[in-house]
Amino acid sequence: MADRPLDVLEATLGEDVTVTLKGGDTVAGTLDGYDQHMNLVLEGENTTIIRGDNVVSIQP
């Protein structure tokens, strides 16, 4: 059975990811945190907080 989405995020903490958002924009950074709503915290040049309902995909 495949991992649950939050298990995959847990395994990806501290790794570089590219997040695709609704509207086609992408944001790249290090996955620093998340919550049960899949809100994401990315560290890069700046700290970015992305609401989970705007996320289309997360790629390592």
Side-chain angles (χ1 to χ4, degrees):
M1 178 177 249
D3 291 336
R4 297 176 303 166
L6 294 179
D7 293 337
V8 174
L9 285 177
E10 181 68 28
T12 309
L13 275 175
E15 294 186 19
D16 291 335
V17 295
T18 301
V19 180
T20 303
L21 306 174
K22 290 181 182 176
D25 292 335
T26 60
V27 180
T30 302
L31 182 62
D32 195 45
Y34 66 92
D35 66 11
Q36 71 273 15
H37 303 289
M38 294 181 74
N39 297 318
L40 307 175
V41 178
L42 299 182
E43 292 290 338
E45 289 183 24
N46 298 308
T47 300
T48 304
I49 300 171
I50 302 171
R51 286 184 53 121
D53 59 352
N54 290 321
V55 174
V56 174
S57 69
I58 304 170
Q59 300 173 327

